[in-house]
């Protein structure tokens, strides 16, 4: 499925192998300040690993994996719903704003809103869930501002959900 979801400042597009780049690979490096919040960050992750990951996820029916691009086409991050359970009407969401120039500029709110509306309309999803590290205070606050509610919390994970 080839998806394009326009927002005011961005286009959310189905991720492709052409999005796999040294820049994208760099977002997964442990040298980034946010890497402690992202489970997949590792300096041992290779270009081939990333390409394989993108290829495997992009062909599954129960995954919506989107690149976040500026209107000029710059890839600044990704948003992924994985897995999507159409029978239960649920999806697990993850987001990464890799380009640090865009962090703290409202990207998450804009792309989450647009993609949630799309996934609800096109796939019947009514509840989005996510996990976030409790030390990632800015993310927890942003998710709550978007309407996510905290379901439970441990020292390593805050589980949140949003009814669409």
């Amino acid at each position: 499925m080839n998806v394009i979801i326009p927002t005011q400042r961005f286009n959310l597009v189905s991720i492709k192998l052409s999005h796999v780049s040294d820049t994208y690979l760099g977002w997964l490096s442990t040298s980034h300040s946010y890497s402690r919040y992202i489970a997949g960050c590792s300096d041992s992750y290779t270009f081939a690993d990333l390409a394989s990951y993108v290829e495997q996820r992009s062909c599954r029916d129960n995954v919506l994996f989107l690149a976040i691009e500026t209107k000029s086409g710059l890839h600044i991050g990704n948003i992924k719903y994985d897995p999507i359970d159409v029978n239960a009407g649920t999806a697990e969401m993850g987001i990464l704003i890799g380009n640090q120039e865009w962090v703290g500029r409202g990207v998450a709110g804009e792309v989450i809103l647009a993609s949630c509306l799309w996934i609800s309309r096109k796939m019947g999803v009514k509840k989005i869930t996510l996990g976030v590290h409790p030390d990632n205070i800015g993310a927890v606050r942003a998710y709550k501002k978007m309407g996510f509610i905290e379901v439970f919390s441990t020292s390593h994970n805050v589980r949140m959900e949003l009814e669409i």
Side-chain angles (χ1 to χ4, degrees):
M1 169 174 28
N2 191 25
V3 174
I4 301 173
I5 304 170
T7 75
Q8 182 178 350
R9 298 178 294 165
F10 309 104
N11 288 316
L12 309 179
V13 299
S14 298
I15 198 155
K16 299 173 182 63
L17 286 177
S18 60
H19 288 103
V20 177
S21 65
D22 289 332
T23 300
Y24 182 0
L25 185 61
W27 298 341
L28 303 176
S29 166
T30 59
S31 65
H32 281 286
S33 60
Y34 58 78
S35 66
R36 67 183 181 273
Y37 304 131
I38 307 293
C41 286
S42 169
D43 290 330
S44 65
Y45 213 41
T46 67
F47 194 89
D49 293 333
L50 182 56
S52 176
Y53 179 83
V54 166
E55 191 170 44
Q56 289 172 11
R57 296 294 180 297
S58 62
C59 66
R60 290 179 30 203
D61 291 336
N62 68 337
V63 175
L64 178 64
F65 195 2
L66 303 168
I68 303 166
E69 295 181 347
T70 62
K71 292 294 185 177
S72 65
L74 177 65
H75 181 206
I76 64 165
N78 303 317
I79 186 165
K80 180 170 58 101
Y81 295 88
D82 178 12
I84 301 167
D85 185 335
V86 293
N87 294 324
T90 62
E92 175 81 8
M93 186 201 81
I95 186 168
L96 169 65
I97 310 303
N99 183 312
Q100 293 302 289
E101 292 179 23
W102 286 94
V103 172
R105 294 180 59 191
V107 176
E110 186 174 333
V111 302
I112 289 170
L113 174 62
S115 59
C116 280
L117 291 173
W118 188 93
I119 202 170
S120 176
R121 196 172 54 251
K122 299 288 186 179
M123 303 181 89
V125 170
K126 300 298 176 209
K127 183 187 292 183
I128 304 296
T129 58
L130 61 84
V132 61
H133 196 282
D135 292 345
N136 194 346
I137 296 165
V140 171
R141 186 179 13 221
Y143 292 135
K144 286 181 178 179
K145 186 176 178 180
M146 286 179 249
F148 282 86
I149 59 167
E150 189 174 317
V151 179
F152 70 86
S153 181
T154 69
S155 61
H156 301 292
N157 189 22
V158 176
R159 294 297 302 165
M160 303 182 87
E161 61 184 37
L162 175 69
E163 298 281 341
I164 304 174

